[in-house]
Amino acid sequence: MTVCLAQFVIGTVIIGTTGTFIWLYKSSYLHTNPSKKRVIIFSRYPRPGSAKTRLVGELGTYGAAAAQRLMTEHLLNRVIGFLSVNDAVQVELQYSDGSADEVKYWLDRRQSCLPQFWCSPQGAGHLGARMSAAFSKAFSEGNDSAVLVGSDIPGIDSAILAEAFRSLEEGSKVMTLGAATDGGYFLVGLKRDSQKDLGSLFEGIQWGTAEVYQQQIQVARAHNLRVHTLSKKLQDIDTPEDLPEFEDKVGISLKELKAPVLSVIVPTYNEEDSIRSTLDCLVSNIRFPRYAEIIVSDGGSTDQTRKLVKEFAESCTACKVVLVDSPKGRGNQLNNGVKHSSGFNLLFVHADTALPRAYDSHVMVTLAEPGVVCGAFEFALDVLETEGTDINHSKDSNQDPVSTIFKYKLMALVWFTNRRARKHELPYGDQALFMSRRTLDAVGGFPEYRLMEDYAMVKNLQRLGHIKIVDGAKAITSARRWRKHGLVKVTGFNRIVVILYNLGVHPDTLAGWYYGWFR
């Protein structure tokens, strides 16, 4: 007890000190940063129904919003690449159609590691007025030059940004423009010496027409500005005809935007008592079976698990069910299941867990929320659920009925588990983690551990974005461990394992202790 308390106090001090240091570093950045340059990104919060509305007919409301989100994140990745060799440049994302809290949730994990990047709302008025306000803000905050770009031009890269800033250094009274293929422009750069012209520099232009680029040149020359045009012409993404450019530059197919296939990965090892009912539940509770597949990744079962899966796969007509052989160990099995899958989204389900109805719709809607990189369902136990439990564990049915007192203990366990998952964004594998294939690749897949692979994965994912728990949708798992070994023993040992893992004990060592203890 004393050791645990000391560990908690030390950890709290370290976390608090680190957080304070980061806050001081970020808050003092603008006062100590020698930068005199700023990249301004104009973007719209990717809300379904209001983002990229001209693409809705082709992609649907969620697909169009996803395109907006993906283009913004793609551009931010390009700008971050530019910062890696120009770390003194500031980056400001100015947004519209979103609240400060929504944008913070979307991008705060990026802001936390880049002190020179922040978000602020766009000014009022038409596009020209908002652009003028953005440049005025940049110059009033000490920048000598600024470059403004839109978020729907995926062809922007480090070379283009570098060329834009170089051109602004070639004398005074310069405006840099990047011509777009539709007659507009994708980039505009100015120096501080044009600040007095900002009130009228973007006026008198018919925004949204094919004459924007030429009209801007005329207005600039009327203000005695020398116009430098960038060497590349780029295409923005406004209409369905532009989507091939999106696919090429962002690397996301239209099929993924319109109807992403869901791959359900189920790791098994000697699960003959539950695997058939698990598969029945997965198939019966899915809303769009045409866009789903189930991959059972078996770690060398010695019972009837493999036979039961093969029989189910042969008889299932709703969706594809595949059995694959994997090295034993849940991390290995999950990664191997992914290798044999084809879906754009991935859902990882334990063999003793029942998912809610329309779980595939929950996955799609949750992952469409800006800022969410991973999701999970609410934790629930079968002995506490009177309805909606489609899993029937034969071993559990032979056990004595659960006492009322024990049920209350399990209810407390469920409440605290869901509270931890929401508050700390820390679900466990029992809650059925789901994410896109791109996200899984970004963290290098599951750690190939025999234990703690879910905990380690969630910790890795937290660096990329948020982990959201689906409200009101339960992953109902078997209470067999707690019924067999007792609540205190199972839950207490689980906590000890997490503590030892965080202290540096290897997960495979912990797995030897864990599985030896719970035979």
Side-chain angles (χ1 to χ4, degrees):
M1 180 68 180
T2 303
V3 173
C4 292
L5 180 60
Q7 291 168 349
F8 173 78
V9 172
I10 293 171
T12 302
V13 171
I14 292 173
I15 293 171
T17 303
T18 304
T20 302
F21 173 76
I22 293 173
W23 179 84
L24 288 172
Y25 176 55
K26 292 184 69 175
S27 63
S28 63
Y29 183 83
L30 291 178
H31 300 288
T32 60
N33 176 30
S35 168
K36 297 295 183 181
K37 301 176 181 178
R38 179 177 297 185
V39 176
I40 305 166
I41 301 172
F42 264 27
S43 185
R44 177 187 291 272
Y45 182 77
R47 193 186 310 283
S50 62
K52 285 295 169 189
T53 54
R54 283 191 281 176
L55 299 178
V56 169
E58 178 70 21
L59 302 178
T61 55
Y62 280 95
Q68 173 68 53
R69 174 178 58 83
L70 289 166
M71 285 190 289
T72 301
E73 294 171 357
H74 173 78
L75 177 58
L76 280 173
N77 289 335
R78 293 294 183 91
V79 173
I80 289 171
F82 178 68
L83 295 182
S84 66
V85 292
N86 300 273
D87 59 354
V89 177
Q90 301 171 1
V91 180
E92 179 183 19
L93 185 141
Q94 292 202 3
Y95 58 87
S96 64
D97 196 36
S99 68
D101 287 340
E102 287 174 323
V103 174
K104 179 181 179 182
Y105 188 84
W106 176 21
L107 298 171
D108 62 350
R109 298 290 163 91
R110 293 175 184 269
Q111 290 179 262
S112 64
C113 60
L114 284 173
Q116 68 269 48
F117 168 56
W118 65 93
C119 302
S120 58
Q122 292 179 20
H126 59 75
L127 177 58
R130 286 179 277 139
M131 293 168 63
S132 176
F135 278 110
S136 179
K137 181 174 182 286
F139 296 141
S140 67
E141 291 174 350
N143 291 276
D144 287 337
S145 60
V147 166
L148 188 152
V149 297
S151 61
D152 57 354
I153 306 94
I156 294 174
D157 56 20
S158 296
I160 287 173
L161 294 174
E163 181 186 354
F165 279 112
R166 281 198 307 270
S167 69
L168 292 174
E169 295 171 359
E170 297 174 358
S172 59
K173 302 288 286 184
V174 178
M175 171 184 275
T176 297
L177 290 176
T181 56
D182 62 357
Y185 57 86
F186 65 86
L187 178 150
V188 56
L190 293 170
K191 298 180 71 172
R192 182 198 291 272
D193 58 14
S194 63
Q195 188 171 11
K196 64 181 179 60
D197 299 315
L198 287 175
S200 56
L201 192 54
F202 300 106
E203 297 293 334
I205 295 173
Q206 297 173 299
W207 301 106
T209 70
E211 288 74 40
V212 168
Y213 175 68
Q214 290 299 332
Q215 288 176 352
Q216 186 63 78
I217 290 177
Q218 293 171 10
V219 173
R221 287 173 177 167
H223 286 78
N224 297 316
L225 293 179
R226 180 169 53 87
V227 177
H228 174 90
T229 300
L230 296 179
S231 57
K232 279 189 179 181
K233 209 179 244 193
L234 298 182
Q235 181 178 352
D236 57 1
I237 311 299
D238 285 325
T239 67
E241 291 72 30
D242 302 324
L243 288 172
E245 173 75 2
F246 172 89
E247 291 184 286
D248 179 56
K249 295 298 191 297
V250 182
I252 305 295
S253 71
L254 298 188
K255 185 178 179 182
E256 179 175 356
L257 289 179
K258 291 194 278 189
V261 172
L262 175 65
S263 294
V264 184
I265 315 296
V266 185
T268 57
Y269 180 74
N270 291 344
E271 294 286 355
E272 64 181 4
D273 294 301
S274 60
I275 188 59
R276 178 61 195 241
S277 49
T278 298
L279 293 174
D280 281 332
C281 178
L282 287 173
V283 172
S284 62
N285 282 358
I286 198 165
R287 185 177 181 186
F288 300 108
R290 288 178 52 200
Y291 301 101
E293 63 179 5
I294 299 172
I295 312 295
V296 179
S297 184
D298 188 72
S301 294
T302 56
D303 62 359
Q304 297 297 307
T305 298
R306 294 173 53 80
K307 178 176 179 292
L308 293 171
V309 174
K310 288 179 179 179
E311 291 174 351
F312 185 90
E314 291 173 359
S315 62
C316 182
T317 58
C319 66
K320 182 173 73 172
V321 179
V322 178
L323 173 68
V324 299
D325 296 320
S326 300
K328 187 178 178 182
R330 190 168 282 162
N332 285 316
Q333 290 173 240
L334 293 174
N335 287 335
N336 194 52
V338 171
K339 290 178 184 177
H340 288 83
S341 68
S342 61
F344 299 111
N345 292 330
L346 306 169
L347 170 61
F348 302 94
V349 184
H350 289 181
D352 61 352
T353 298
L355 296 186
R357 298 193 184 281
Y359 62 85
D360 53 327
S361 294
H362 288 301
V363 169
M364 184 174 67
V365 171
T366 302
L367 293 181
E369 183 174 342
V372 173
V373 297
C374 174
F377 297 96
E378 291 182 354
F379 176 71
L381 293 172
D382 54 359
V383 296
L384 301 178
E385 300 297 320
T386 57
E387 296 180 358
T389 308
D390 295 315
I391 281 191
N392 180 22
H393 304 284
S394 62
K395 285 186 178 180
D396 297 350
S397 62
N398 295 326
Q399 296 183 8
D400 295 332
V402 177
S403 69
T404 301
I405 294 176
F406 190 62
K407 280 190 175 182
Y408 278 118
K409 291 179 180 178
L410 291 179
M411 288 170 65
L413 170 67
V414 168
W415 187 86
F416 279 108
T417 299
N418 285 320
R419 182 177 182 272
R420 178 212 66 224
R422 282 197 172 86
K423 183 177 181 180
H424 301 290
E425 299 190 8
L426 192 60
Y428 291 160
D430 287 331
Q431 294 171 253
L433 304 176
F434 54 86
M435 66 203 74
S436 70
R437 185 180 294 270
R438 294 188 313 278
T439 297
L440 184 73
D441 291 341
V443 295
F446 278 89
E448 296 191 341
Y449 301 151
R450 293 173 56 206
L451 191 70
M452 299 296 291
E453 82 294 330
D454 53 351
Y455 183 88
M457 166 60 80
V458 169
K459 286 296 186 181
N460 289 337
L461 290 169
Q462 287 175 345
R463 299 198 302 267
L464 301 182
H466 291 278
I467 292 90
K468 183 173 182 178
I469 310 303
V470 182
D471 290 329
K474 299 176 181 179
I476 304 172
T477 195
S478 171
R480 57 186 174 178
R481 284 175 295 166
W482 291 276
R483 296 180 69 181
K484 180 178 180 180
H485 300 288
L487 181 67
V488 174
K489 180 177 179 180
V490 174
T491 304
F493 199 86
N494 285 345
R495 294 305 305 156
I496 291 172
V497 165
V498 171
I499 292 171
L500 292 175
Y501 172 82
N502 286 324
L503 290 175
V505 179
H506 195 279
D508 289 345
T509 301
L510 296 173
W513 299 344
Y514 184 87
Y515 294 120
W517 188 262
F518 291 114
R519 285 179 180 174

